[in-house]
Amino acid sequence: MQNTDADSDAALLAKYRRGELEALEKLVERYRRPLFHFVLGMTGSAQDAEDIFQEVWFRAIRNMGGYRHDRFLGWLLRIARNHIIDRNRRWKRNVSLEIANENGVVLGDTIPGKSPSPAALVGNADSGRKIMEAVKALPPEQKEVFLLRVEGEMPFKEIARLQHVSINTALARMQYALAKLRKELKGEYAMVEAQT
Amino acid sequence: MNCRQAERWLLLASSGELPPRKLAILKRHVGQCSSCAAFRGDLERIAESASRALAAEEPSPVALSAIMRAARNEAPSERPQRRRAFAQRRHAAAGALALAASLLVCVGLRHILREGILCACGSRGPAAVSASVEGQIPASDWLEHFAAERWNETAYIERFADLSEDLDVTLAEKELMILEGLAI
C-alpha cells in the first residue's frame, strides 16, 4: 500500500502516540478491509470475525508502544492469527494437525477442513459465494497461506516466518490450496471464458 | 525447469519476491508451456474472485465505534498527562539541584574565606557551616559533626562524575536519577 510520507503508517502511528486520535482512525480505515477479510475467511462466521476484528484492534492499541515491525498490516495479521489460534485451542484438544512429516507437510494439509467438501458446496450459489465456500473448505494451514497472501498481500517469506515453516513449505501450501480451488472452480472459469 | 518449480516461481513473482534473473527464466518457460500459462491465469482469476467476493463484507459501524472508543480511552488521553508529569518532575529536580549547588558553592566559598579550610558540602553541611560561620558551633565541633556526613557527599559527587561519562544519559536524566535515589 503506497502512502505519502506524511500519511505513511509510521507517521500516523507517531501522530497517534502524540495523542492525535484521527491518525488511528485513518489506520483503522486503511486496514479494516484486509484484516476483516482475513479473519472472516479464517473463521467463516461474520459474528466471530467481528469479535476477533475488534479484539485485534484492542490488543494493537494496548501494545502500540511496543510496535517495531516494518509492515503495520503484517503486525495486525500476526495478532489476528495468534488470537484465532488461541481461540481454536479452546475447542480442539486432541490430535495436533501441526506435526510435519519428512516432506514438511503437516497432517492438517492432507485432510479436508471441518466444512462440507468443496464439491458439495460448489452448487447453485453465485460465483463469489462459491469461491469463498471453497476457500473455507481448505485445510487450516492452506487457507491461512491463501488468505494472508491474497487478502493481506503478505510476502511468502513473511508468511513462512509467521507459520514457523520454511518458505518452500509455505509455497507448497499455496500450491495445494490453488490446486484444490482450481479443481473445484474449473467449470466456473470455463463458463466465464466462454462468455468473454 | 519443471512445471512444479515454475509454479513456485510464479507464486514468488506474484508477491514480488522473485529475483530479476529468475524472472527472465520463468518468462521463457511460461511462454513455451501452456500448463504453466494456465496456472498463471487461474492464479490471477482466483485471487481476483476471492477479493471481489469479500469486498462487500465489512465490520459493522458498532465494531468500529468500539475500537475508536478504546483508542480514546487507552492512549491519547493518558500519555500526554504522563509525559507532562514526567517533564514537571524533571524540571523540578533540575531546579532543586541547581538551587542546592548554588547554595553549596556560596556557603563553601564563605567558609573557605572565613576559616581557610577546604570542606565538602552537603544537604546538612551548609546548615552546620552556616552555624559555624555565625559562631554558634565552634570550628573544632562542626568539623567532627560534618565528618560523619562527608563520605556520603563524596560518594554522591563521585557517582555523579561516573554518570557524566555515560553519553546515553542526558544531564537532566542523571540529575533526576540521583535525586530519585536510583543511582546511589
Side-chain angles (χ1 to χ4, degrees), chain A residues 42-195:
Chain A
M42 288 301 293
T43 59
S45 149
Q47 184 55 53
D48 287 351
E50 184 129 326
D51 292 346
I52 293 169
F53 175 80
Q54 275 189 73
E55 185 56 33
V56 169
W57 276 107
F58 292 159
R59 288 185 187 193
I61 289 165
R62 277 198 300 271
N63 295 294
M64 206 70 89
Y67 171 76
R68 295 285 182 274
H69 299 261
D70 294 335
R71 289 178 71 245
F72 188 65
L73 177 59
W75 187 56
L76 292 175
L77 292 170
R78 192 178 293 261
I79 296 172
R81 178 187 186 261
N82 291 343
H83 186 57
I84 292 168
I85 289 172
D86 288 348
R87 192 170 150 276
N88 289 345
R89 275 195 189 129
R90 289 182 217 131
W91 296 96
K92 47 178 184 182
R93 298 183 186 282
N94 299 327
V95 183
S96 169
L97 301 181
E98 297 189 353
I99 299 170
N101 65 17
E102 66 276 9
N103 297 321
V105 177
V106 301
L107 179 58
D109 285 344
T110 62
I111 59 172
K114 283 181 184 172
S115 314
S117 76
L121 290 166
V122 180
N124 299 321
D126 61 275
S127 77
R129 186 170 171 167
K130 278 179 186 172
I131 191 160
M132 284 324 295
E133 292 299 337
V135 169
K136 281 177 198 168
L138 291 171
E141 290 78 11
Q142 292 173 23
K143 182 164 55 179
E144 189 174 78
V145 174
F146 179 81
L147 290 168
L148 286 171
R149 177 69 213 116
V150 172
E151 291 302 322
E153 295 182 358
M154 194 179 265
F156 283 101
K157 260 185 199 167
E158 202 174 329
I159 294 172
R161 261 204 309 273
L162 194 66
Q163 291 195 328
H164 304 292
V165 295
S166 69
I167 191 164
N168 279 334
T169 302
L171 288 167
R173 285 176 176 175
M174 186 69 171
Q175 278 180 300
Y176 280 120
L178 287 170
K180 285 174 192 167
L181 293 175
R182 288 178 82 196
K183 191 177 165 191
E184 299 303 333
L185 300 167
K186 202 169 184 125
E188 193 72 22
Y189 289 143
M191 204 165 68
V192 171
E193 276 170 7
Q195 284 170 353

Side-chain angles (χ1 to χ4, degrees), chain A residues 32-33 37 50 156 182, chain B residues 17 42 54 57-58 60:
Chain A
R32 75 191 157 99
R33 284 189 176 174
H37 293 166
E50 184 129 326
F156 283 101
R182 288 178 82 196
Chain B
E17 295 173 276
D42 284 353
L54 284 166
E57 305 286 349
E58 301 231 3
S60 72

Side-chain angles (χ1 to χ4, degrees), chain B residues 6 14 35 52 91 99 105 107 113 117 121 150 156 160 173:
Chain B
S14 74
S35 168
R52 209 174 37 235
H91 287 140
L99 185 66
V105 168
V107 171
L113 288 171
I117 300 170
C121 307
R150 189 181 172 112
Y156 176 106
F160 189 86
E173 282 168 340

Side-chain angles (χ1 to χ4, degrees), chain B residues 100-122:
Chain B
S102 308
L103 192 64
L104 296 177
V105 168
C106 290
V107 171
L109 283 173
R110 195 175 168 195
H111 182 73
I112 289 163
L113 288 171
R114 183 87 172 259
E115 304 289 334
I117 300 170
L118 180 64
C119 73
C121 307

